[in-house]
Amino acid sequence: MSLLEHPMGLKSELLTEFSEFEQVVFCNDQDTGLRAIIAIHNTAAGPAIGGCRMQPYPTMAEALEDVLRLAKGMTYKCAAADVDFGGGKSVIIGDPSTDKSPEMFRAFGKFVDSLNGRFYTGTDMGTTMEDFVHALKETNCIVGTPEMYGGSGDSSVPTAMGVIYALKATNKTLFGNDILAGRSYAIQGLGKVGYKVAEQLLEEGADLFVSDLDERLLEKITLKGKETGTQVKILKGDEIYSAEADVFVPCAVGGIINEETIEKLKVRAVAGSANNQLLHQKMGEKLQSRGILYAPDYITNSGGLIQVSDELYGSSKDRVLAKTKAIYYSITEVFSSAERNNLTTVEAANRMCEERIESRKRQNSFFLHNRRPKWDIRH
């Protein structure tokens, strides 16, 4: 019995997927209580990049499953966004509200630095920009820090902007124009990205159905609706899946398009910022069979990646804006390719990304042994 099979009880399908990865590092520091995993999926296009998520995973197997799934998704997201990076991700096991400390993130920074530029990371669910100010003391391989520390600031801004462009592309395909006004959107989650998307939609003249666990955010967005003269209807829990809206906009957790929820949907499309929205890729076929257009999440939510990867060239807001606008055209091309080739939009997006990865692999093969990017201006 292998080390992976015994202590962590991994499923056989996860073990199969594990073999696709270039490197997986388990990080433990007893002094700070750090328990983390760094997964590097593919560096064909350049060093791996991906955020660091912190949450109290019940088991090591669940933490590993999450980091592998997210890291692989980053490979496709980097290819879709046309940035010179490959896919990676990291997770810290612990409760972000009680277990964090500056020392923990300095210890994590040391582990990141030990990878010699193969992996760049920053904030994700459960972590903040300020956490990585501490990690930055131990490694230069940190992105998405506050502007006062040389970073590009809040990455939720371009992420939300990218979702808006994806919604415009979706409307263009569905309705023949990309106007957001006069349509209705069911937004699940009013966090850093979801709230910004909701605000923009209201300002454009759209009507919303919204759900979130935070009553304060629900009250705030309702007030915003009154200011803009548009309708905001609050839904509780799973009611959001049955909303009679034009587009479902998931901006919370992943895996929410599954066998149970997909039958409840009354929308014509799904386009949102949540990572890994489909419980598994066959859900793409289910959506298509129900006549629901799906904008692949790793393209829709790539605005944040575009911003943090841009830091290593010397941050430029204009350059980030231009690349984020390109999400509109990427989504449009995926929709066209899917129809042209009789594919699901998931298959069309994956094919586009796999072709780019193979192309980059051929271009970069000469440099496989020197992964630290020459444009890292902080060395």
Side-chain angles (χ1 to χ4, degrees):
M1 184 174 288
S2 75
L3 177 64
L4 288 176
E5 289 172 312
H6 179 56
M8 290 184 286
L10 299 181
K11 301 174 185 177
S12 59
E13 59 266 28
L14 184 56
L15 284 170
T16 301
E17 185 172 321
F18 193 87
S19 65
E20 298 179 18
F21 285 71
E22 292 182 11
Q23 189 173 8
V24 179
V25 181
F26 292 83
C27 313
N28 295 286
D29 183 77
Q30 292 185 357
D31 291 338
T32 64
L34 174 72
R35 291 188 300 151
I37 309 172
I38 299 170
I40 297 176
H41 177 253
N42 187 295
T43 59
I49 191 170
C52 176
R53 176 172 293 192
M54 184 174 184
Q55 63 184 65
Y57 296 96
T59 66
M60 183 67 75
E62 289 174 80
L64 180 59
E65 182 175 10
D66 200 30
V67 76
L68 293 184
R69 178 174 51 86
L70 292 166
K72 184 176 180 179
M74 285 302 300
T75 295
Y76 285 79
K77 183 184 285 191
C78 287
D82 195 27
V83 297
D84 296 328
F85 288 88
K89 204 76 174 182
S90 53
V91 296
I92 295 175
I93 302 168
D95 187 334
S97 64
T98 58
D99 297 335
K100 280 184 186 179
S101 69
E103 293 76 19
M104 174 182 285
F105 279 87
R106 290 193 70 157
F108 179 70
K110 290 178 182 179
F111 281 107
V112 172
D113 201 59
S114 72
L115 295 171
N116 295 314
R118 280 176 53 78
F119 177 63
Y120 285 74
T121 192
T123 183
D124 200 317
M125 186 184 299
T127 61
T128 67
M129 291 189 290
E130 287 69 27
D131 294 329
F132 288 94
V133 170
H134 302 297
L136 194 60
K137 296 174 182 177
E138 304 294 344
T139 180
N140 287 317
C141 298
I142 300 296
V143 292
T145 52
E147 293 183 59
M148 70 177 72
Y149 290 95
S152 57
D154 186 0
S155 62
S156 70
V157 175
T159 303
M161 186 187 307
V163 174
I164 293 296
Y165 284 123
L167 289 171
K168 288 186 174 184
T170 300
N171 284 1
K172 177 70 173 176
T173 299
L174 285 178
F175 309 116
N177 64 67
D178 58 14
I179 298 171
L180 299 171
R183 304 294 175 189
S184 57
Y185 304 85
I187 303 179
Q188 181 185 49
L190 295 174
K192 289 185 288 186
V193 175
Y195 191 86
K196 292 180 178 68
V197 172
E199 271 191 314
Q200 183 63 40
L201 287 172
L202 289 176
E203 289 172 5
E204 293 281 346
D207 293 326
L208 302 183
F209 299 87
V210 296
S211 69
D212 195 274
L213 297 176
D214 191 329
E215 293 290 337
R216 294 169 301 175
L217 291 173
L218 293 171
E219 291 173 7
K220 190 177 176 183
I221 202 64
T222 300
L223 179 60
K224 182 71 175 180
K226 290 178 180 178
E227 291 173 357
T228 57
T230 49
Q231 178 180 307
V232 176
K233 184 174 182 180
I234 296 173
L235 299 178
K236 299 295 184 182
D238 290 353
E239 291 177 355
I240 196 71
Y241 299 114
S242 303
E244 295 188 8
D246 290 309
V247 184
F248 176 44
V249 187
C251 296
V253 297
I256 45 80
I257 304 295
N258 52 54
E259 296 285 357
E260 181 181 350
T261 61
I262 205 166
E263 297 302 326
K264 299 178 181 180
L265 295 177
K266 298 177 181 177
V267 294
R268 295 187 60 182
V270 176
S273 67
N275 285 313
N276 302 112
Q277 294 164 25
L278 307 185
L279 185 61
H280 48 75
Q281 292 202 4
K282 286 189 176 180
M283 290 295 101
E285 297 174 11
K286 276 272 193 179
L287 286 171
Q288 186 178 61
S289 69
R290 294 206 54 218
I292 299 174
L293 186 64
Y294 175 63
D297 50 37
Y298 63 79
I299 303 177
T300 300
N301 64 18
S302 61
L305 168 66
I306 290 168
Q307 176 171 297
V308 298
S309 63
D310 186 74
E311 285 184 20
L312 299 179
Y313 295 88
S315 185
S316 165
K317 292 186 184 298
D318 290 339
R319 192 164 57 223
V320 170
L321 177 60
K323 292 207 75 171
T324 303
K325 282 183 177 180
I327 291 172
Y328 177 98
Y329 302 104
S330 294
I331 293 290
T332 301
E333 173 55 29
V334 166
F335 290 159
S336 298
S337 175
E339 184 175 3
R340 198 168 53 241
N341 298 300
N342 195 28
L343 301 171
T344 67
T345 56
V346 177
E347 293 168 331
N350 288 350
R351 178 182 292 186
M352 177 185 77
C353 293
E354 286 158 7
E355 288 172 354
R356 289 183 182 180
I357 292 165
E358 283 303 309
S359 175
R360 292 290 182 84
K361 185 175 181 180
R362 290 191 295 272
Q363 293 169 11
N364 291 347
S365 60
F366 183 74
F367 301 101
L368 287 175
H369 302 292
N370 184 16
R371 281 302 182 188
R372 188 179 291 276
K374 63 184 179 181
W375 56 82
D376 190 339
I377 61 174
R378 290 173 291 181
H379 282 282

